[in-house]
Amino acid sequence: MKFAALTAAALVSTTSAFAPMATPRQTTSLNVWGDKDYLIAPSILSANFAKLGEEVDNMLEAGADVVHFDVMDNHYVPNLTIGPMVCKALRDHGVTAPIDVHLMVSPVDAAINDFIDAGASYITFHPEATNHIDRSLQLIKNGGCKAGLVFNPATSLDYAEFVKDKLDIILLMSVNPGFGGQAFIPATLEKARAARKFIDDNGLDCRLEIDGGVKVDNIKEVAEAGVDMMVAGSAILKEPRTKEAYKVTIDAMREELAKVGK
């Protein structure tokens, strides 16, 4: 990475994935990379952008694990959001937590390089948004980042089959991409169970992430479907926009996750 200010912790997050059928690392009881079974990743799409550095500091101090960074181009999806300069600004601000860049842009390869340089830790993209899925995944991994594919509600998981050796993350959209604050699509739970089976059957050291409509009252059900990284935007980043308020929500989510399997 050209971005020099990443700490050792952020660099650890960029370790490449094992090949298919490799023995997963025994770092968590779920046998996934990282130091926790479940990662909570608030989406800064719901942040107050006039105070973005403060918002990110507060959510991390409140117990969030990952900064989820939604990039939209008003082409692949009907919205326009933020780019690599904002990612770099967060690193310059002092953010050392993993930054999970979700590219909702087409084409993707130029954006991948820009976000590698800006200090991204994980980069995911939609298979429909590139002409060469394998090449784009390899580009991410060559830059030292975790790589993953994003599946819209109607997109088949079949895209993952022949690039599974390059997948560190499978991200399932539980809303249609483009806007925050949408309701969770229940059929995503069936898809999550299928994705979990795919990961387990192939012995992949791969996180299963979900994005859209996750909140305190459904996060346990989401985890029981096999998901281990949860994106939540408006469920966490909302008024009164204080560290204490964010902690109340994140703690409540952790309490629900602690009930999984019990």
Side-chain angles (χ1 to χ4, degrees):
M1 269 190 189
K2 296 180 182 178
F3 186 79
L6 287 174
T7 64
L11 288 171
V12 167
S13 73
T14 63
T15 305
S16 61
F18 288 89
M21 303 309 294
T23 302
R25 280 174 281 176
Q26 303 297 312
T27 50
T28 75
S29 62
L30 295 182
N31 293 333
V32 286
W33 54 262
D35 59 357
K36 293 181 179 177
D37 282 342
Y38 299 108
L39 300 179
I40 293 177
S43 170
I44 61 172
L45 187 63
S46 297
N48 177 355
F49 275 83
K51 300 179 178 179
L52 184 58
E54 179 183 338
E55 285 270 70
V56 173
D57 289 343
N58 284 342
M59 74 187 203
L60 292 170
E61 291 172 15
D65 303 298
V66 174
V67 180
H68 189 75
F69 196 102
D70 287 308
V71 183
M72 306 182 191
D73 65 356
N74 199 32
H75 171 67
Y76 179 72
V77 292
N79 200 355
L80 184 66
T81 58
I82 49 179
M85 287 189 295
V86 177
C87 182
K88 185 178 185 301
L90 289 176
R91 291 300 190 200
D92 290 343
H93 176 72
V95 173
T96 60
I99 295 179
D100 176 24
V101 174
H102 171 196
L103 295 177
M104 288 167 274
V105 305
S106 181
V108 300
D109 288 359
I112 286 169
N113 284 319
D114 290 342
F115 276 98
I116 288 170
D117 291 345
S121 308
Y122 321 148
I123 301 177
T124 59
F125 64 90
H126 294 252
E128 304 95 333
T130 183
N131 290 325
H132 302 285
I133 297 170
D134 185 274
R135 180 183 297 164
S136 297
L137 287 168
Q138 191 60 57
L139 188 63
I140 297 169
K141 297 181 79 66
N142 287 347
C145 296
K146 298 284 191 189
L149 289 180
V150 189
F151 296 86
N152 286 332
T155 300
S156 171
L157 292 171
D158 290 347
Y159 282 106
E161 175 62 34
F162 295 105
V163 292
K164 56 181 177 281
D165 59 312
K166 296 179 177 66
L167 293 179
D168 302 300
I169 299 168
I170 290 175
L171 170 54
L172 305 181
M173 294 302 298
S174 42
V175 297
N176 286 294
F179 298 95
Q182 299 182 64
F184 185 88
I185 297 174
T188 312
L189 294 174
E190 180 181 351
K191 195 173 192 178
R193 286 186 280 269
R196 169 52 55 197
K197 185 176 187 302
F198 173 79
I199 291 169
D200 292 347
D201 287 352
N202 287 282
L204 303 182
D205 190 14
C206 180
R207 285 275 180 182
L208 180 54
E209 184 175 12
I210 202 163
D211 182 0
V214 176
K215 46 194 176 181
V216 173
D217 62 8
N218 68 1
I219 196 169
K220 177 175 177 285
E221 185 179 19
V222 167
E224 288 174 338
V227 176
D228 51 56
M229 181 154 54
M230 292 78 171
V231 177
S234 56
I236 297 174
L237 298 177
K238 59 186 178 181
E239 297 299 332
R241 295 192 179 279
T242 63
K243 177 174 65 177
E244 292 74 21
Y246 296 160
K247 188 175 188 305
V248 168
T249 304
I250 292 170
D251 285 352
M253 288 179 166
R254 299 268 188 221
E255 289 175 9
E256 289 300 305
L257 291 171
K259 300 174 185 176
V260 174
K262 296 182 180 178

